Amino acid sequence: MALSQKTKETLLGPLNANNPVVVQVLGICSALAVTVQLKPALVMGVAVTIIVAMSNVIISLLRNTIPMRIRIIVQLVVVAALVTLVSEVLKAFAYDVAMQLSVYIGLIITNCILMGRLEAFAMTNKPWDSFLDGLGNGLGYAWILIAVAFVRELFGAGTLLGFRIIPESWYVANGGFYENCGMMMMPAMALILVGCIIWAHRSLNKEEK
Amino acid sequence: MEHAISLFVRSIFADNMIFAFFLGMCSYLAVSKTVKTSLGLGVAVTFVLLITLPVNYLLQIYVLNPLNLGYLSFILFIAVIAAIVQIVEMVVEKFSPSLYASLGIFLPLIAVNCAIMGGSLFMQQRILLDPENAKAIANIGDAFAYALGSGLGWLVAICCLAGIREKMEYNDVPKPLQGLGITFIVVGLMAMAFMCFSGLNI
């Protein structure tokens, strides 16, 4: 499918150059909290992508009828309705993950990515463009989550998605030399990892500034 | 009473909104450039938490639970928060124009601060806990104590970070790490320091 230049920009920009987490600094709260293991991070990334894309489309369709003064409340209600749907679906089909994510599913409502994209993009653009923008930003958010969770689960527990990667026989308990890095499980490490991702990202994209 | 005090102290230090749950990170990172504005935002967050959390507690106990409408809680909570922020804004503007001028732009932003919504969602979970549990919220007094503690914890966190960032102005930070990058790492180190409170119990 041949995408026009602008469409490509809208969809792929947020993955790198205009990433919602490391460049726009949106949606940090949940990005840090759900990344202890890969599975919840994956689910969270997918949930946010769906919600951003859908709410962008809905707000974009309504953009000419929403009065400016009460737009924040309208946006919040649309988002809250979508989040409620996603939360119910997760509780029905993936109960253990829903319990692990606990309040952070509900906190998608106040995730700044949503409000940021709705205000900055969906209020002034057509539905299809808004959909692509939402998709791009959701995926940009998801890959940061997955990258952080990958490092934290691999070094913190020696597993990925629950499968053992570092062999049992390497551990000190079994006469080996390896020990899990308990620090990776702590909240503090998520912050430092995101800091490092920002560092790497900025050194690679230096020419823009 | 003892339980409420324990809850209050725990929510400032051990269960700090920023360092243990990362709530309200966006405004935390964006506004923490000077101590003065941080203090203003911290006070505003505490104030709004102190009103919205008990209101949401009463709604949960007397409206949502008896009617089995638990799944509507997200919409209800966010509507309550948005409405109360609006009312607080109007009241402050009417009765204390000087406070309004100093809080100014922060007040409307608080409606989408995760710490406020997060406080209500944690409260919803903690109602279900066994009343003996140190984290349980068993009555309206506990809800107030939890709200005040969480708000003050947030205030302490943002003022500390702003103080460090003011000093850091003079440091020689590697270029790509300047601004956001180093702030994250500083918050990470502060979170480590706050971890030493995690066994705190009264």
Side-chain angles (χ1 to χ4, degrees):
Chain A
M1 192 169 69
L3 293 171
S4 71
Q5 189 60 34
K6 183 171 174 281
T7 324
K8 220 178 207 168
E9 186 88 336
T10 318
L11 183 61
L12 300 180
L15 288 184
N16 182 27
N18 199 18
N19 189 286
V21 178
V22 300
V23 179
Q24 304 175 45
V25 205
L26 298 174
I28 307 284
C29 327
S30 49
L32 298 168
V34 299
T35 52
V36 177
Q37 286 173 322
L38 201 50
K39 198 173 164 199
L42 216 58
V43 173
M44 187 73 178
V46 172
V48 170
T49 309
I50 293 172
I51 293 171
V52 181
M54 294 310 291
S55 60
N56 255 359
V57 170
I58 294 173
I59 292 294
S60 174
L61 286 171
L62 295 173
R63 70 185 186 283
N64 294 327
T65 45
I66 299 174
M68 275 315 263
R69 286 190 65 86
I70 60 159
R71 66 181 194 286
I72 303 266
I73 301 228
V74 174
Q75 290 164 357
L76 281 175
V77 170
V78 168
V79 174
L82 284 168
V83 172
T84 308
L85 279 178
V86 168
S87 150
E88 294 297 308
V89 168
L90 276 181
K91 272 186 197 150
F93 296 105
Y95 189 73
D96 51 331
V97 180
M99 284 300 103
Q100 232 175 339
L101 290 172
S102 72
V103 298
Y104 294 100
I105 286 286
L107 284 173
I108 297 177
I109 299 171
T110 51
N111 193 319
C112 329
I113 291 185
L114 284 153
M115 296 308 285
R117 291 332 290 172
L118 292 177
E119 277 287 290
F121 201 92
M123 286 302 282
T124 49
N125 282 282
K126 292 209 176 73
W128 175 241
D129 290 337
S130 305
F131 176 73
L132 290 178
D133 179 76
L135 206 61
N137 276 287
L139 292 175
Y141 170 83
W143 88 253
I144 298 284
L145 239 70
I146 291 168
V148 176
F150 181 86
V151 176
R152 285 182 80 186
E153 191 176 348
L154 183 59
F155 292 106
T159 57
L160 281 178
L161 284 172
F163 297 110
R164 182 142 292 282
I165 298 293
I166 295 171
E168 291 281 0
S169 57
W170 285 16
Y171 283 91
V172 174
N174 299 330
F177 57 89
Y178 188 78
E179 193 84 63
N180 276 333
C181 175
M183 200 64 219
M184 282 289 173
M185 296 310 228
M186 302 293 180
M189 214 50 211
L191 286 159
I192 293 178
L193 279 175
V194 174
C196 294
I197 290 180
I198 292 171
W199 188 1
H201 186 268
R202 293 229 167 138
S203 353
L204 291 175
N205 293 295
K206 212 179 272 169
E207 65 277 14
E208 285 163 37
K209 300 256 158 71
Chain B
M1 192 62 208
E2 211 173 285
H3 181 77
I5 292 172
S6 161
L7 198 65
F8 172 71
V9 175
R10 276 190 65 92
S11 55
I12 296 182
F13 296 107
D15 296 336
N16 189 293
M17 279 282 184
I18 296 275
F19 299 126
F21 302 113
F22 311 111
L23 297 179
M25 262 303 174
C26 308
S27 39
Y28 179 70
L29 295 171
V31 183
S32 59
K33 289 213 174 68
T34 61
V35 174
K36 201 163 169 251
T37 45
S38 312
L39 192 66
L41 184 66
V43 170
V45 166
T46 312
F47 189 56
V48 173
L49 255 178
L50 204 52
I51 302 175
T52 56
L53 208 142
V55 169
N56 282 341
Y57 174 81
L58 294 177
L59 281 173
Q60 175 77 27
I61 294 287
Y62 293 108
V63 180
L64 294 179
N65 280 354
L67 298 175
N68 269 328
L69 287 175
Y71 60 90
L72 282 183
S73 58
F74 293 164
I75 297 186
L76 192 66
F77 286 177
I78 197 71
V80 165
I81 290 168
I84 286 180
V85 168
Q86 196 80 56
I87 294 171
V88 168
E89 198 185 342
M90 290 192 298
V91 170
V92 172
E93 191 180 10
K94 175 100 172 114
F95 292 105
S96 172
S98 62
L99 181 65
Y100 182 77
S102 62
L103 291 179
I105 46 163
F106 301 134
L107 269 178
L109 282 181
I110 288 176
V112 288
N113 187 320
C114 330
I116 311 284
M117 185 69 181
S120 289
L121 292 174
F122 274 122
M123 173 273 296
Q124 192 187 19
Q125 282 190 341
R126 288 173 175 218
I127 290 174
L128 302 173
L129 292 175
D130 170 32
E132 291 302 308
N133 192 318
K135 289 183 174 179
I137 292 178
N139 54 45
I140 186 79
D142 289 353
F144 270 111
Y146 180 63
L148 188 62
S150 305
L152 287 179
W154 205 87
L155 178 102
V156 168
I158 196 168
C159 287
C160 291
L161 180 66
I164 294 176
R165 284 182 80 171
E166 277 187 3
K167 293 279 176 214
M168 223 162 50
E169 287 283 294
Y170 307 106
N171 294 3
D172 189 16
V173 178
K175 195 111 214 221
L177 202 55
Q178 269 172 18
L180 192 62
I182 192 72
T183 310
F184 263 99
I185 293 177
V186 166
V187 178
L189 295 175
M190 287 168 73
M192 276 185 214
F194 260 71
M195 255 156 46
C196 67
F197 290 117
S198 58
L200 193 73
N201 242 332
I202 292 182

